[in-house]
Amino acid sequence: MATQAAPLTYLDRLRADLDLIEADFVQILADSQIRNTDPNRGRDYVMHLGASKWGWVPSSPELEARRMQLLGRVRDWEPLFRLLFPHPTPEVTKRLEENLDLLRRWLERPRDRTVPATIDKATDHVRDAVTTLRKLGELLPSDPWAVRLVVDTNVLLDDPDVAIYTPLLGKRYMVHLMPAVLRELDDHKRAGRNPDIREAAKKADRRLKGLRTNGDVRRGVRVAVRRARLLRAHRTQGRWAAELAGPRRA
């Protein structure tokens, strides 16, 4: 009988997604243009200090749509990658901020003094940023959780039992709850578009809060006895977080 291949690790999946982001980013740059925006060009009597020398040529509607789509993917990828660095040193924080900011900024394209003179140079900068982010993974110790699962709101509405993935992922995996998911769940519970959605959100809310008897979900709680499946909520804010972390009501 054929042996089932082990699933990719959490870091491997993030690196694979980053490779796809890089490829699409490079293509967007290839379809972009840079122009000279230096207000001091050709002047010898008035100087604009700190002005940008180069800027992006406005995008066509099609290119702008692609930029927005990729910007969404970068923004979705970033918090998942940051999960790997809960306590970064100042140097790691600097590398995270600088390189993630470059990816976001060159898709948003505000007024920016970091735009280089040519598309080739811009491409090199993006590739360097991606390489730096990939190398940050080499600083991580071996992960005790080879499989990490980040669930979205729709998954919890369908079934809030995070132990149901055992047939697919095996008996040992970590489930992460992101702040945006918890906020959306709370919104659905209070103002869902129909009674079924509101009831599903309330059911998920009760299930997750019921796990408080196992410990503090912000640190990680075991979901099933004799099976190493843990659930952890990250940086939750507001009343929902207080209730999630607080003592269970009788």
Side-chain angles (χ1 to χ4, degrees):
M1 189 170 79
T3 302
Q4 184 177 5
L8 291 175
T9 67
Y10 183 77
L11 177 59
D12 288 339
R13 289 178 182 273
L14 287 175
R15 282 174 166 169
D17 289 342
L18 183 59
D19 289 342
L20 295 176
I21 287 173
E22 179 186 16
D24 289 345
F25 210 129
V26 168
Q27 187 56 57
I28 284 175
L29 290 177
D31 295 334
S32 300
Q33 293 178 292
I34 293 173
R35 63 184 176 185
N36 190 313
T37 60
D38 186 359
N40 299 315
R41 181 181 48 176
R43 296 184 178 183
D44 56 8
Y45 53 92
V46 176
M47 296 295 293
H48 295 264
L49 299 178
S52 302
K53 291 186 177 181
W54 306 97
W56 303 102
V57 172
S59 299
S60 67
E62 184 271 338
L63 182 58
E64 187 155 16
R66 288 163 54 197
R67 284 170 45 209
M68 289 191 293
Q69 193 273 339
L70 185 57
L71 179 60
R73 287 165 55 195
V74 170
R75 287 173 172 169
D76 289 342
W77 183 88
E78 178 179 346
L80 303 181
F81 189 64
R82 287 183 182 273
L83 285 178
L84 296 170
F85 305 92
H87 308 291
T89 63
E91 177 57 32
V92 169
T93 297
K94 180 180 179 182
R95 280 185 272 175
L96 281 170
E97 297 294 344
E98 287 182 350
N99 292 285
L100 288 168
D101 181 64
L102 183 141
L103 296 181
R104 292 192 307 267
R105 193 173 65 252
W106 283 8
L107 290 170
E108 296 167 351
R109 299 188 177 178
R111 289 185 178 274
D112 184 2
R113 292 197 300 170
T114 68
V115 179
T118 67
I119 293 297
D120 286 343
K121 289 182 178 179
T123 301
D124 289 341
H125 286 315
V126 167
R127 292 193 186 280
D128 288 344
V130 169
T131 298
T132 298
L133 293 172
R134 287 183 61 86
K135 286 184 176 179
L136 284 175
E138 299 173 3
L139 301 177
L140 299 170
S142 80
D143 192 347
W145 298 97
V147 180
R148 293 177 179 265
L149 179 67
V150 180
V151 294
D152 67 13
T153 309
N154 290 331
V155 168
L156 292 174
L157 291 175
D158 288 340
D159 192 335
D161 182 5
V162 297
I164 64 174
Y165 306 104
T166 300
L168 178 64
L169 302 178
K171 294 182 179 181
R172 182 179 173 82
Y173 56 89
M174 171 76 83
V175 180
H176 294 275
L177 292 179
M178 305 303 291
V181 171
L182 299 180
R183 288 194 297 269
E184 288 177 3
L185 192 63
D186 199 38
D187 290 343
H188 284 311
K189 184 180 68 173
R190 297 174 178 280
R193 64 179 180 272
N194 61 57
D196 290 340
I197 293 293
R198 292 194 293 272
E199 184 57 37
K202 291 177 182 178
K203 178 182 176 182
D205 180 79
R206 290 192 297 269
R207 169 61 176 162
L208 295 175
K209 288 178 180 176
L211 295 173
R212 293 178 301 191
T213 56
N214 299 347
D216 187 344
V217 295
R218 292 170 299 185
R219 295 179 178 272
V221 297
R222 190 177 297 274
V223 174
V225 179
R226 297 189 303 276
R227 293 182 178 180
R229 293 191 292 275
L230 267 71
L231 177 142
R232 183 179 178 188
H234 293 270
R235 297 184 182 180
T236 55
Q237 299 176 355
R239 182 195 52 75
W240 204 102
E243 292 183 5
L244 186 64
R248 186 175 182 179
R249 294 186 181 89

